[in-house]
Amino acid sequence: MSFITKENTDIGERYYYTQHKSGLPVYVFPKKHSTAFAVLGTKYGSADTTFKTDKDDDFFTIPDGVAHFLEHKLFEDENGNDAFTRYAKYGGNANAFTSFVRTAYLFSCTGNFDENLEVLLDFVTCPYFSEKSVKKEQGIIGEEIKMYEDNPGWRVFFNMLGAMYINNPVRKDIAGTVESISEITPEILYKCYNTFYNLHNMALCVCGDVTPEQVEAVCDRVLKKAENIKIERYTPDEPPHINTERVTLELEVAQPVFSIGIKDTPANTPEEAMRRDAETEIILQLLFGRSGDFYNRHYESGLINHKFSASYEQARSYAYTEISGSCEDPDLVKKAVCEEITHRRDNFFTAEEFETAKRVVYANNLHNFDSTEDIATDFLSYVFAESDILDYPAVISGVTYEDAKNTFLSSFDINKSVLSIIFPKNKEVIKDDE
Amino acid sequence: MIFERIEIKKGVFVSVVKTDKFKTNLLTVNLLTPLSADTASLNSLLTDVLKRGTVNYPTMQSLNKKQDELYALGLGAYVQKRGEVQVITFELSAIDDTYTFDKANLLEQAVALIGELIFSPFIVDGVFLPEYVAQEKKNLIDSIKAQINNKSGYAIQRCNELMCEGEPFAVNTAGEISIVEQITPEALFAQYIKLISTAAVEVFFVGNRDSSDIAELVGKHLPFSDRKPPALETIVKTNTDEVRRFTEKMQINQCKLSIGLRIGTSLKSKNYIKFALFNELFGGSTTSKLFVNVREKKSLCYYCRPIIEGIKGVMVIASGVDAKNKDIAYEAIMEQLEDIKNGIISDTELYDAKRSLENAYREITDSPAYICTWYLSRIIAGRTDSPEEAADSVDKITKQDIIAMSKRMALDTVYSLEM
C-alpha cells in the first residue's frame, strides 16, 4: 500500500498517511525521540447521546456518561484481565481519555513498539461487557465523579457551559452523574461500541522513531476489514443566545474562582474553523495577553492576578471563548472585560501590535512539536476536525489584520457573555487531632 | 545523551545536555540554600517581585513585551524544595534560532534577559519598589490560601507537614502567611543580595549548543562571583516511634486519605534504584498491587498512588475514597505492603514492574524539563548517573532485593481530610 507524504519545510516536519485496507485512517509522524507514542481514537464523545446508523429505523438516546464508561470498560477482556497487564509485558505506558467529541486510547513506549501497538489495536477492537464488570466499574467511576465534584476548576467550567448552552449536550459533565451511570447496561455499551468503534469512524496517529511500513504491518496482523456504516448524530438546535447570564455555587475555596464565557457561532467548514482558531488566538493575545494593556492595568490595580487566562475552544457544534481566574470580585472583572471588548470595537489594535501578537502565537505553536505525545494527540484532534496539523503554522502566518478585526467584531459579542463563579463556603479549616 | 558539568566559578556550575531533538532550548538557573522557615517566605516573595521588572524593563508590561519580541520567550522564576534544600529557580525557554523568521541570535538575547532579571532588578532608593512588594505580598497570601482549592494536593502536603513536623522538610515553600505579612522591601532586598552572592549555583541547559558556548554565555551574562556555599544536608529518618493519626474537616464530597511512610533509604544511596523498583511494583504503575487490587479488584477508589520524595526518603500514599470506606481502604492498602514483605510477588509482577520502570527512565530523555529535573535531584543527592544508566541497572534487581526494601518501610502518619 502506498503512503501519501505531507511536509512542512518551514518547521522541518513531515508525516505519512494511508487508509489501511481495514478502513482505518493511519498517520505516521516520524520523530527521532526515544519515546514513541500512538493514539487510536474514535469520533465519539460525551456529547454523542442521540444517534442512529443507516441500519437503524429510529434514533437511540443513551444515558449521560456512556462514552467515558465505555472507555474504562474496554480495558477489560472476557477473562477479567485488563489491557494494562498486556502492555506491561512490553513496557508500554497506557492511558485513555474521553472528551465531548472523541474517545482516545494511547500508549508511550521506549522499546517493543510493534508489540505495544498490537496490544492497542487488539484490545480496542475486542470488546467484552458483562453485568458483573459494569457493576464493578460503577464504583470506580462513582469515586471519579465525586472527586470532580470537589474540584473548583471543573465545576466553574461546567457551570459556565451550562450558562451558555441551552440544549447542546456539552453542558453536561463528561462522566455523567452517579445516577445516570447506574442506568448503564452491557446492551447499551454494545450498541454504542458497534456504532462508533467502526474503523471508518476512527483514526490511528503514531509519532516516534517508527516507519509507516512497520505500522502498516501491525495493522495487517490485527485489523479485520470493517464495513463502512453511516452514522447520523442528532444535535438539538442551539439558539444563538445564552441560557443565563450568571451562575454561582459555593465550595471550599479560599477566594472566588470564575469563568467568563462568550458564546460564538460554530464555523461552517474545517478551513474556516482553523482560520478562526488562528485569528482568535491572536485576538486573545492582543486583548488579554501578558504584554497587553488590559492585563497590566488590572494586575496593577489588584483586580486580577497571574491566574488570569483566556482561550478559545471549538468543535463540531459549539464555539466559545473562556476567560478564567481567581479574584475577590469576579463581577467587576466581567464588567472590565466587557468594557474592553466594547472599547476595542471602535479602537482596534495597531498593525504593529497585531504583527507582534501573530509572532507570539506562531512561536507558541512551535512548542507543540517537541513532544511525541503532544504531536500524536494534537494530530488526532486535527484529523477529526478534518484539518491538518502541518497547515496550522502557515494559517497563523496568513492571518491578515483585517481578518483578525472582522473575526473580533463577529465572535466577541458581549450580549452572549456569561459569568460562572465559585464562592468560598467556609474559610475555616477545623483541625481535630485524634 | 551526554551530560557535561563545568565549574565556571567556585561554587557555580554549568551543566549541559547537548541535543538537536528539540525546537526549543531550555536553560534553568538554580540557587540552592538550606531550607528554613526563616527564609522560605522571603525567597517565595522574591521570585514574584523580581518578575515585576528590571532596570531596562521596569514594568511587567515592558518586560513581557520584550519577551514577545523574542518569539514568545518563556521566562519564569519560582521556588521548590528537594529534600531539605531550598531551590530558587529562574527558567527560560526560547525557540531555537533555526526557527526564527530572521535567524536571529535569540539564545544570547534570552540569556542576557534572564541575566537582567536576576542581576538588575528594578530598585528605587536601594530597595525593591514598595508598591511591587505590597502587591506581590497580597497575591502570594491569596495563593497560599488557595492551596486548599486542590483537595488532593492539599491532603498530600498536610500529610508531609505533619509527618515531618519539626524537621525543615515541613516548611511550606510557598511561604507562611504570618511571615509574608511582615516582610519589608528592605528585608527582601537584603535576602536577595545574600542569595545571589552566597547560594550554590547550578545552571542547566538542554538544547542545540556546545557546553563551551553555554559556559561562555553564562559567564558573560550571569556574573555570579566565587562563593563557598553552605553545606546542603537533608536529615533522613529511617524509623518511627508511634503512628500518629490526624483528621481535618472540610465540606467535601470525597474523603482524601493520605498515608505517610519513611522509606528507609534515600536518593543518596546506591540502593535507591531497588526502592524505585519496589515502589513501581507496590503502587507506581497500572499493574502495581495498589492499582490492581485496591482500585480494580476492590473498586474502592479512582486513584491510589504513592508520591515519593527521594531525597528526604518519604512516601505519601494518596487516595480519594468514600468516607464510609476509609478504614477498608486503609486496610487494603496496608495489606498490599504486607504481601510484599511476605514475599507474595509473582514473576509476572516483577517482570512488569521492571519494564515499566525502565520505560519511565528512558522517557525522561525526551523532555527538556524532565532532563533538568532529573539532574537537579541527582546533583543534590551527590550523583550524576543518567536516566539511561538507571534504566540499564533495573533488570538485575531481584525479588529478594524488593522484599528487603519493603521491610524498611516504616508507617509514620495517617491523615484524612473529610466532612
Side-chain angles (χ1 to χ4, degrees):
Chain A
M1 197 176 316
S2 62
F3 283 85
I4 296 164
T5 311
K6 163 96 179 201
E7 190 164 9
N8 181 327
T9 49
D10 290 339
I11 64 163
E13 302 288 0
R14 71 168 69 186
Y15 71 80
Y16 302 93
Y17 161 75
T18 191
Q19 178 150 26
H20 185 253
K21 61 190 177 202
S22 61
L24 181 71
V26 175
Y27 300 84
V28 181
F29 195 114
K31 194 93 181 162
K32 293 265 178 222
H33 281 208
S34 314
T35 311
F37 202 95
V39 52
L40 177 61
T42 165
K43 267 181 263 179
Y44 169 49
S46 65
D48 297 307
T49 49
T50 303
F51 55 85
K52 71 192 269 300
T53 69
D54 47 3
K55 292 188 179 139
D56 299 317
D57 295 328
D58 292 316
F59 279 97
F60 287 85
T61 296
I62 53 167
D64 294 332
V66 174
H68 171 257
F69 200 97
L70 207 164
E71 172 226 299
H72 272 239
K73 265 338 325 160
L74 212 46
F75 274 84
E76 197 171 308
D77 74 9
E78 213 171 330
N79 306 314
N81 297 320
D82 69 30
F84 291 122
T85 322
R86 297 176 60 193
Y87 277 120
K89 240 167 108 182
Y90 309 111
N93 180 11
N95 213 335
F97 65 84
T98 305
S99 72
F100 296 126
V101 294
R102 64 179 173 276
T103 312
Y105 301 83
L106 40 102
F107 73 83
S108 62
C109 67
T110 54
N112 305 309
F113 175 80
D114 294 359
E115 291 79 1
N116 281 304
L117 181 60
E118 194 165 330
V119 173
L120 174 68
L121 297 178
D122 186 67
F123 91 84
V124 175
T125 53
C126 296
Y128 175 77
F129 314 120
S130 71
E131 292 285 352
K132 198 177 149 219
S133 74
V134 164
K135 195 107 211 122
K136 189 202 80 179
E137 209 62 32
Q138 282 161 348
I140 297 173
I141 296 178
E143 285 309 316
E144 186 179 358
I145 291 170
K146 279 197 235 163
M147 179 178 83
Y148 281 109
E149 282 175 1
D150 289 331
N151 181 327
W154 190 255
R155 300 295 297 275
V156 79
F157 172 67
F158 275 94
N159 278 353
M160 174 196 75
L161 291 175
M164 277 192 291
Y165 290 95
I166 296 164
N167 301 319
N168 195 306
V170 298
R171 63 198 306 282
K172 292 179 178 168
D173 196 320
I174 290 166
T177 62
V178 173
E179 292 73 40
S180 75
I181 63 167
S182 72
E183 294 166 27
I184 294 174
T185 61
E187 291 70 36
I188 293 174
L189 294 177
Y190 277 115
K191 175 75 205 167
C192 294
Y193 182 88
N194 291 328
T195 303
F196 294 107
Y197 284 71
N198 180 295
L199 295 176
H200 296 269
N201 189 50
M202 301 176 78
L204 172 68
C205 305
V206 172
C207 182
D209 197 2
V210 260
T211 65
E213 290 72 23
Q214 201 180 337
V215 174
E216 188 181 13
V218 180
C219 290
D220 286 348
R221 273 208 302 280
V222 185
L223 300 176
K224 292 176 199 78
K225 193 169 168 50
E227 189 193 344
N228 192 0
I229 56 168
K230 204 171 145 277
I231 303 165
E232 230 183 291
R233 294 173 174 84
Y234 169 76
T235 307
D237 280 336
E238 178 66 33
H241 60 267
I242 57 167
N243 184 16
T244 179
E245 230 175 274
R246 187 172 182 273
V247 54
T248 67
L249 177 75
E250 284 186 7
L251 282 179
E252 290 271 8
V253 293
Q255 190 180 49
V257 174
F258 69 89
S259 277
I260 297 164
I262 305 171
K263 191 172 173 177
D264 194 12
T265 318
N268 292 312
T269 64
E271 294 75 25
E272 187 193 335
M274 193 184 250
R275 276 200 307 274
R276 176 97 61 87
D277 268 333
E279 289 155 2
T280 50
E281 269 201 82
I282 295 167
I283 294 164
L284 289 174
Q285 170 65 23
L286 285 164
L287 282 172
F288 305 120
R290 299 269 153 142
S291 53
D293 292 341
F294 180 91
Y295 179 81
N296 287 281
R297 188 165 72 242
H298 294 295
Y299 186 101
E300 275 165 30
S301 77
L303 180 64
I304 59 169
N305 52 41
H306 61 275
K307 289 180 182 160
F308 182 87
S309 72
S311 62
Y312 187 77
E313 290 296 329
Q314 56 172 336
R316 289 202 295 262
S317 62
Y318 62 88
Y320 61 86
T321 292
E322 182 189 10
I323 299 155
S324 60
S326 172
C327 71
E328 287 307 327
D329 195 344
D331 287 287
L332 213 54
V333 176
K334 165 116 190 282
K335 190 165 165 270
V337 162
C338 290
E339 280 169 5
E340 176 69 8
I341 291 171
T342 307
H343 168 72
R344 292 294 179 182
R345 293 184 84 85
D346 298 322
N347 307 274
F348 199 62
F349 299 87
T350 65
E352 197 191 344
E353 287 169 323
F354 164 78
E355 288 302 330
T356 307
K358 191 159 98 171
R359 174 190 280 209
V360 167
V361 170
Y362 185 89
N364 281 337
N365 180 56
L366 267 187
H367 292 293
N368 298 341
F369 291 94
D370 267 350
S371 131
T372 52
E373 173 169 4
D374 291 349
I375 293 170
T377 50
D378 287 354
F379 208 118
L380 187 74
S381 318
Y382 282 98
V383 166
F384 284 174
E386 294 168 43
S387 57
D388 189 323
I389 194 169
L390 290 186
D391 287 344
Y392 195 50
V395 168
I396 298 170
S397 314
V399 174
T400 66
Y401 181 82
E402 285 305 316
D403 294 338
K405 191 173 171 183
N406 289 335
T407 295
F408 169 66
L409 293 175
S410 63
S411 290
F412 290 77
D413 180 353
I414 58 168
N415 296 314
K416 293 197 277 180
S417 65
V418 302
L419 174 61
S420 161
I421 311 173
I422 306 289
F423 282 113
K425 190 183 252 175
N426 176 5
K427 286 183 184 176
E428 292 293 303
V429 177
I430 306 154
K431 291 181 184 175
D432 167 27
D433 295 5
E434 278 176 14
Chain B
M1 206 170 70
I2 297 163
F3 172 81
E4 288 179 86
R5 186 159 180 258
I6 311 163
E7 186 168 24
I8 59 164
K9 286 275 171 64
K10 283 198 187 91
V12 181
F13 292 86
V14 175
S15 301
V16 173
V17 172
K18 189 186 175 188
T19 168
D20 62 0
K21 278 206 288 202
F22 308 112
K23 290 183 163 47
T24 35
N25 294 307
L26 178 68
L27 181 119
T28 67
V29 181
N30 303 279
L31 309 182
L32 279 53
T33 69
L35 180 63
S36 104
D38 297 337
T39 51
S41 300
L42 284 162
N43 293 336
S44 175
L45 182 63
L46 182 61
T47 56
D48 295 332
V49 171
L50 287 176
K51 280 182 285 192
R52 292 300 300 269
T54 69
V55 171
N56 289 319
Y57 307 99
T59 63
M60 203 167 66
Q61 185 165 22
S62 57
L63 185 59
N64 282 323
K65 280 189 169 167
K66 181 65 187 174
Q67 290 170 241
D68 283 1
E69 206 183 287
L70 300 177
Y71 292 84
L73 179 79
L75 195 60
Y78 53 90
V79 286
Q80 46 180 335
K81 65 180 169 190
R82 293 296 160 93
E84 286 162 356
V85 177
Q86 161 99 75
V87 184
I88 295 99
T89 303
F90 300 89
E91 177 180 295
L92 78 79
S93 73
I95 62 169
D96 194 65
D97 296 353
T98 324
Y99 302 102
T100 59
F101 299 137
D102 42 7
K103 309 289 173 225
N105 188 1
L106 204 55
L107 186 64
E108 170 142 23
Q109 296 182 66
V111 177
L113 193 61
I114 201 172
E116 184 160 340
L117 186 78
I118 301 170
F119 287 96
S120 310
F122 181 60
I123 51 174
V124 174
D125 298 332
V127 293
F128 295 116
L129 190 68
E131 285 95 312
Y132 286 177
V133 175
Q135 283 165 357
E136 294 310 325
K137 276 167 72 171
K138 184 189 176 297
N139 287 341
L140 178 56
I141 290 167
D142 286 345
S143 85
I144 296 169
K145 286 182 184 162
Q147 288 178 338
I148 65 160
N149 291 13
N150 174 351
K151 313 302 174 217
S152 167
Y154 178 75
I156 294 163
Q157 183 192 328
R158 287 293 295 145
C159 185
N160 268 317
E161 284 172 6
L162 291 163
M163 171 161 57
C164 300
E165 213 167 3
E167 300 168 53
F169 189 70
V171 170
N172 185 347
T173 45
E176 288 299 330
I177 293 170
S178 59
I179 301 177
V180 175
E181 280 167 345
Q182 304 301 319
I183 296 175
T184 62
E186 291 74 19
L188 191 63
F189 197 75
Q191 173 65 11
Y192 161 72
I193 294 294
K194 192 175 155 212
L195 207 54
I196 59 162
S197 49
T198 64
V201 181
E202 294 287 344
V203 179
F204 293 97
F205 176 82
V206 179
N208 198 10
R209 285 292 192 293
D210 288 328
S211 56
S212 55
D213 291 353
I214 298 303
E216 196 191 314
L217 275 183
V218 170
K220 186 169 162 194
H221 297 290
L222 297 165
F224 288 109
S225 50
D226 288 331
R227 60 204 54 219
K228 220 183 262 157
L232 300 171
E233 298 293 345
T234 296
I235 306 154
V236 178
K237 254 178 91 175
T238 51
N239 49 18
T240 55
D241 311 326
E242 58 172 325
V243 178
R244 298 191 306 151
R245 291 170 197 273
F246 300 89
T247 302
E248 285 184 13
K249 299 284 181 192
M250 213 187 249
Q251 296 286 313
I252 48 177
N253 290 296
Q254 185 184 59
C255 164
K256 302 293 178 192
L257 175 65
S258 293
I259 304 172
L261 302 101
R262 307 279 178 169
I263 66 173
T265 184
S266 82
L267 189 57
K268 273 193 164 167
S269 162
K270 64 175 182 0
N271 276 329
Y272 187 79
I273 190 131
K274 295 178 187 168
F275 162 77
L277 184 61
F278 151 79
N279 179 59
E280 202 70 15
L281 191 145
F282 173 55
S285 78
T286 48
T287 52
S288 69
K289 286 189 181 282
L290 290 181
F291 189 90
V292 169
N293 298 315
V294 182
R295 169 177 147 139
E296 293 293 320
K297 290 210 177 115
K298 296 187 195 264
S299 191
L300 282 168
C301 52
Y302 172 66
Y303 72 93
C304 178
R305 56 174 174 261
I307 315 291
I308 312 299
E309 220 297 350
I311 296 173
K312 179 65 182 166
V314 291
M315 167 193 280
V316 171
I317 304 165
S319 64
V321 298
D322 195 326
K324 69 173 193 296
N325 289 333
K326 187 179 79 170
D327 295 337
I328 304 170
Y330 172 80
E331 293 302 331
I333 290 166
M334 296 314 283
E335 190 186 317
Q336 308 311 312
L337 179 59
E338 283 309 309
D339 281 358
I340 300 179
K341 287 184 186 171
N342 293 326
I344 304 174
I345 302 168
S346 71
D347 291 343
T348 315
E349 282 175 316
L350 180 65
Y351 182 89
D352 291 352
K354 284 182 175 179
R355 300 297 84 79
S356 177
L357 186 61
E358 286 166 351
N359 190 62
Y361 285 141
R362 293 192 200 284
E363 287 195 3
I364 288 169
T365 63
D366 287 323
S367 155
Y370 290 165
I371 294 169
C372 286
T373 302
W374 170 271
Y375 282 110
L376 178 63
S377 292
R378 298 271 137 178
I379 285 168
I380 290 172
R383 54 199 290 180
T384 54
D385 53 326
S386 67
E388 292 97 328
E389 285 167 330
D392 290 342
S393 61
V394 169
D395 201 44
K396 59 176 185 285
I397 301 170
T398 65
K399 203 181 280 191
Q400 289 314 315
D401 290 332
I402 290 178
I403 296 168
M405 294 316 290
S406 74
K407 288 182 175 163
R408 295 186 181 202
M409 299 288 292
L411 179 62
D412 189 301
T413 299
V414 182
Y415 169 89
S416 85
L417 183 65
E418 58 188 63
M419 278 260 261

